[in-house]
Amino acid sequence: MRNPAPIASLPAGASAGASRCSVLGALTIVGDFWTLGLLRCLFNGLSRFGELQRELGIASNVLADRLGRLVHAGILERVPAGKRHRYVLTPTGAELAPMVLALKTWGDRHLTPQGPTWIWHHAGCASPAEVQVRCPDCGELLDLPDIQAAPR
Amino acid sequence: MRNPAPIASLPAGASAGASRCSVLGALTIVGDFWTLGLLRCLFNGLSRFGELQRELGIASNVLADRLGRLVHAGILERVPAGKRHRYVLTPTGAELAPMVLALKTWGDRHLTPQGPTWIWHHAGCASPAEVQVRCPDCGELLDLPDIQAAPR
């Protein structure tokens, strides 16, 4: 797939700040249900077209479209594996892990009172990995009231 | 708005694990471009219908729909302010901050070589807030190779 259209885009009427915003820019690449759902599966270790299709129950044309977009965006690499292929996160794609883990943390807390169905754990010591927002200078853990958004 | 349909949903053919997954569950609530784009604006301090509409250039019926869904999901609260209303993140909504900041971090790194247009900084010491994935036991900063996903 060459130069797929963005998965979504801001209308021409959006503000100049919104048009240059990196969050909204990232959302034009990954900001839809299937793309984010696929990332969840890839981070959980699934990598083959058939595995991904069975996991999500996704239509094959939609799956092919989203995988193609992620490859085009440099988030996935299509790697030959026997007669088929595997879809593997590139280093750029792997850097989306904190976003998926943050979403999982929120979902675990608010949507699954019976506890998570799977965990991401530290391979070294088996504890569930945690997403933290910290100040890199003073090391303090930050909650929303500790954070101020400001134009740069 | 009472009981809006999910913003997206898994087909009946999805796996049992996917159907119970907190990431995919969270995506049925926030997993679309406009909803995530609105959260970005709300975390940046915008709160009024007109402000949000001007920032994103979003159609008013779509904006009303997404705000209604977020209120219904307990992520936003509609607070009277003069003759109009403000939309304010609830504590549940505020807990989505790490996810938005993680998306911003990825976008800042890969999409805006000229630097971010806005920063989230620590109110106490002005440094840009950082999203970190850590092991809560040993305190180690974790990269993807340090993390293993496993069913619980």
Side-chain angles (χ1 to χ4, degrees), chain A residues 39 43 74-76 88-100 120, chain B residues 106 109-110 133 142-145 147:
Chain A
L39 288 171
F43 280 114
I75 289 170
L76 291 187
V88 178
L89 291 155
T90 63
T92 296
E95 289 182 19
L96 285 163
M99 189 268 289
V100 176
W120 282 13
Chain B
W106 186 84
R109 191 169 305 164
H110 297 289
V133 179
L142 305 182
D143 281 328
L144 197 56
I147 298 172

Side-chain angles (χ1 to χ4, degrees), chain A residues 7-11 13-15 17-34 36-38 40-41 43-45 53-59 73 75 89 91-112 114-138 140 142 144-152, chain B residues 7-11 13-15 17-34 36-38 40-41 43-45 53-59 73 75 89 91-112 114-138 140 142 144-152:
Chain A
I7 198 86
S9 57
L10 284 175
S15 79
S19 303
R20 290 194 314 268
C21 171
S22 57
V23 176
L24 296 168
L27 291 175
T28 66
I29 301 172
V30 301
D32 92 317
F33 178 77
W34 288 119
L36 291 165
L38 274 175
R40 169 268 188 201
C41 296
F43 280 114
N44 275 11
Q53 191 175 18
R54 279 190 296 279
E55 179 70 1
L56 294 176
I58 184 175
I75 289 170
L89 291 155
T92 296
E95 289 182 19
L96 285 163
M99 189 268 289
V100 176
L101 183 56
L103 203 55
K104 170 169 164 51
T105 303
W106 186 85
D108 286 346
R109 191 169 303 162
H110 296 290
L111 304 177
T112 54
Q114 75 282 17
T117 53
W118 49 278
I119 57 168
W120 282 13
H121 64 87
H122 180 198
C125 68
S127 294
E130 255 185 27
V131 169
Q132 302 177 348
V133 178
R134 282 190 185 267
C135 173
D137 276 348
C138 65
E140 198 174 313
L142 305 182
L144 197 56
D146 307 317
I147 298 172
Q148 290 183 333
R152 179 166 157 271
Chain B
I7 198 87
S9 56
L10 284 176
S15 79
S19 303
R20 291 195 312 270
C21 170
S22 57
V23 176
L24 296 168
L27 290 175
T28 66
I29 300 171
V30 301
D32 92 317
F33 178 77
W34 288 119
L36 292 166
L38 274 175
R40 168 267 189 201
C41 296
F43 280 114
N44 275 10
Q53 191 175 17
R54 278 190 298 278
E55 179 70 0
L56 294 176
I58 185 176
I75 290 171
L89 291 155
T92 296
E95 288 182 20
L96 285 162
M99 189 269 289
V100 176
L101 183 56
L103 203 54
K104 170 170 164 48
T105 303
W106 186 84
D108 286 346
R109 191 169 305 164
H110 297 289
L111 304 177
T112 54
Q114 74 284 16
T117 53
W118 49 278
I119 58 170
W120 283 12
H121 63 87
H122 180 199
C125 68
S127 293
E130 256 185 27
V131 169
Q132 301 177 349
V133 179
R134 283 189 185 269
C135 173
D137 277 348
C138 65
E140 198 175 313
L142 305 182
L144 197 56
D146 307 317
I147 298 172
Q148 288 184 333
R152 181 166 155 270

